Amino acid sequence: MRALLFVPVFLAACATEPMNPYRAADLCEQRARSAQGPTGQVQIGIGTGGRSGVGADISVTDDFIRGRDPLAVYESCVYRNTGEAPVRAAILR
């Protein structure tokens, strides 16, 4: 019987609040930028003792491969994270 008393407390602890709309906008803008095309970076470094390093990273998202509109990606991402429409227009570069 005591175990049943803890169920509502456990369920309340598992409930999550919606994400802050401005935080969601920031995260979703990055996802929308990735939908515009492949992204990547190149790293070159020289350390102590003459050691050098070179690295590269290229990313392609499934949104880009599917040809999804970056603005639609942004809007659906914000809605999914907040349950509301975006509070600001996407700033895509």
Side-chain angles (χ1 to χ4, degrees), residues 45-53:
I46 299 176
T48 58
R51 292 184 172 177
S52 61

Side-chain angles (χ1 to χ4, degrees), residues 37-79:
T39 58
Q41 63 182 2
V42 176
Q43 301 168 338
I44 301 172
I46 299 176
T48 58
R51 292 184 172 177
S52 61
V54 177
D57 179 37
I58 297 175
S59 298
V60 179
T61 65
D62 63 331
D63 292 324
F64 173 71
I65 292 171
R66 293 179 185 186
R68 291 190 65 205
D69 176 25
L71 291 176
V73 170
Y74 171 75
E75 290 173 356
S76 66
C77 177
V78 170
Y79 187 80

Side-chain angles (χ1 to χ4, degrees), residues 5-6 10 12 17 20-21 25 28 37 39 58 60 65 72 74 77 88:
L5 296 175
F6 291 108
F10 177 75
E17 291 184 29
N20 176 306
C28 295
T39 58
I58 297 175
V60 179
I65 292 171
Y74 171 75
C77 177
R88 68 174 190 230

